[in-house]
Amino acid sequence: MKKNIIIRKAETADLVQVYGLIKELALFENEPNEPTNPLKKFIEEGSCKNPRFQVIVAEENQVIVGIALYYYGYSTWKGSMIYLDDLVVKESYRKCGIGKQLMDELISIAKEEKIKQIRWQVLDWNENAIKFYKKYPVTFDATWITVKMENF
């Protein structure tokens, strides 16, 4: 197991490394050309007065080895929620408990803020992630279809 992992909220100076992990995730998901959000815009939207997203980082020796990128949403049925957009751990650090540390920190934030729901998506072929998520009291919802609109 890796040593000296620090879990903390990201700072603006971390966003270049965070962006790199998002690119690494795109490669893992066989979608290297899908991330089209420019780094400059990513940093602007993550460091402005009202940031569009938040990030928890896992750091070892000033190198970010994992992230949980999330934002706040609202469910008319459940109230405030957190949407976990990306949970990423560098390949060489997987199976070291870092994903659990990041997820547990996100759960702690939700509890502290009295948020009762965290939502996210997982690719149906990502068996390791599905197995990981099943360690938590989750519900896999097969009745909802993801819908998105782009390029309008």
Side-chain angles (χ1 to χ4, degrees):
M1 181 153 209
K2 305 288 183 202
K3 304 254 191 253
N4 302 319
I5 299 296
I6 297 167
I7 304 296
R8 62 175 176 79
K9 285 207 171 186
E11 299 170 3
T12 299
D14 299 321
L15 293 180
V16 171
Q17 287 186 71
V18 169
Y19 190 81
L21 276 174
I22 292 165
K23 294 282 198 172
E24 186 175 315
L25 175 64
L27 287 173
F28 172 78
E29 292 181 352
N30 300 312
E31 297 287 354
N33 298 319
E34 279 301 305
T36 58
N37 190 21
L39 175 60
K40 181 180 179 188
K41 185 177 180 196
F42 178 76
I43 292 171
E44 286 171 3
E45 292 180 338
S47 61
C48 60
K49 182 179 177 184
N50 295 307
R52 302 276 176 119
F53 60 87
Q54 305 289 320
V55 184
I56 303 165
V57 298
E59 178 184 67
E60 182 183 49
N61 298 323
Q62 300 172 336
V63 175
I64 294 173
V65 299
I67 63 166
L69 188 146
Y70 64 98
Y71 56 88
Y72 295 90
Y74 193 81
S75 165
T76 56
W77 289 8
K78 303 292 183 181
S80 296
M81 65 171 207
I82 289 176
Y83 187 86
L84 174 62
D85 197 56
D86 291 320
L87 179 65
V88 186
V89 176
K90 282 184 175 266
E91 187 173 2
S92 60
Y93 284 81
R94 291 184 192 145
K95 301 199 187 293
C96 295
I98 295 169
K100 181 180 181 341
Q101 288 178 283
L102 289 165
M103 192 66 133
D104 289 351
E105 181 63 20
L106 185 61
I107 292 167
S108 291
I109 290 167
K111 285 179 178 178
E112 182 179 311
E113 297 182 15
K114 296 181 176 33
I115 293 172
K116 303 288 186 205
Q117 186 179 86
I118 301 172
R119 290 186 190 177
W120 66 94
Q121 294 173 306
V122 60
L123 291 167
D124 60 0
W125 56 260
N126 193 342
E127 294 176 17
N128 287 335
I130 291 167
K131 183 178 174 185
F132 169 75
Y133 293 135
K134 284 182 176 179
K135 294 177 184 176
Y136 292 90
V138 299
T139 302
F140 289 85
D141 190 337
T143 59
W144 289 86
I145 298 170
T146 299
V147 179
K148 61 183 175 181
M149 182 187 306
E150 299 179 286
N151 304 315
F152 47 87

